[in-house]
Amino acid sequence: MQTITTLAELRHALAQARKEGKRVGLVPTMGYLHEGHLALVQASRTRSDITVVSIFVNPTQFGPNEDLSTYPRDFIRDEQLCRNAGVTIVFAPDTREVYPTTFETFVEPGDLATPLCGAYRPGHFRGVATVVCKLFNMVQPDIAFFGQKDFQQCAVIRRMAVDLNLPVDIVTIPTIRESDGLAMSSRNRYLSDEERRRALTISRGLFAAADKFRSGERDVENLVAAAREQLSSVDRLQYLELVDSHTLKAAESPLQRPAALCVAAYVGSTWLIDNVILSFPAPDGQRSPGS
Ligand code: AMP
């Protein structure tokens, strides 16, 4: 495995592979890796010849009062995890490599970036879209892997790739959870034991709603209420919304199209997000549309 910090070195390292017709997979991350990230790596390894993991805590996606300076970092450990997972290249540029002092051009996402996190984190998806677009241009992957845990991010990136004709396949991998259901997140390390127990109500709420949906409930309010009941022990519920999984607009009752129940909440001072997708059972032998 190679660790590379500059674009020049990266291009050099990938040029030979490309000449040999190798397929390049990219897993963009902000580091402090966990099994969720490693699932993306595994997916990349099965679908590409070369897996590049980028590790870059992207300042442009953090608001002024967010946790950029305290975002967890452990590069040595990340490198070791990548080596063990069979990563080919870790690309870990510093901030100036990605954003030279003259930098001034951004990717501006549209309506998909407005609801949910977009309503509470102004500029967040502009920062995400910009850095992912730059990483696509730096690595020029054939295929890139993202986690469903960041559901809105997946939607914004897919749309960006289509709108800007970026020649990369986008693959979304299901959320990897701890054995008790808590979605894995680099931010989980901020949680005390007591907060960790209360954070569990986030996934419990989502699963309660998903159970109701599986039993036939199609009323949006009832589904949201089923989740909200469980969520009483978070410190601040930022949003809990059932949205159409393609448009991210509020889902309409009765549900007839795949929807995503998305939540963001603070437990102590830790901000956590999670979601479940409510997709309709496919008619026999067919895949359900949009699931
Ligand atoms: P991050 O380092 O948090 O920016 O995440 C990097 C990538 O890993 C994103 O595509 C995330 O959606 C994905 N990811 C983070 N947590 C999980 C998880 N628990 N399961 C699956 N993918 C995840």
Side-chain angles (χ1 to χ4, degrees), residues 106-147:
F106 285 83
V107 177
E108 191 69 59
D111 287 349
L112 288 173
T114 308
L116 306 173
C117 288
Y120 296 90
R121 304 186 72 186
H124 170 69
F125 288 113
R126 178 185 196 247
V128 168
T130 301
V131 80
V132 171
C133 185
K134 283 173 70 70
L135 287 166
F136 284 176
N137 288 329
M138 290 192 246
V139 176
Q140 299 180 1
D142 299 284
I143 185 163
F145 298 84
F146 297 87

Side-chain angles (χ1 to χ4, degrees), residues 232-244:
S232 53
S233 54
V234 302
D235 291 298
R236 182 151 61 91
L237 186 58
Q238 193 173 58
Y239 62 76
L240 171 66
E241 287 176 47
L242 188 57
V243 296
D244 182 285

Side-chain angles (χ1 to χ4, degrees), residues 268-291:
S269 55
T270 304
W271 180 79
L272 299 170
I273 58 171
D274 199 353
N275 64 80
V276 287
I277 296 183
L278 308 180
S279 46
F280 289 81
D284 284 349
Q286 288 173 30
R287 291 186 60 212
S288 65
S291 63

Side-chain angles (χ1 to χ4, degrees), residues 28-30 34 36-37 40 71 146-147 149-150 174-176 184:
T29 81
M30 297 206 299
H34 52 66
H37 299 111
L40 303 183
Y71 194 83
F146 297 87
K149 184 183 157 267
D150 296 274
T175 302
I176 305 297
M184 290 197 183

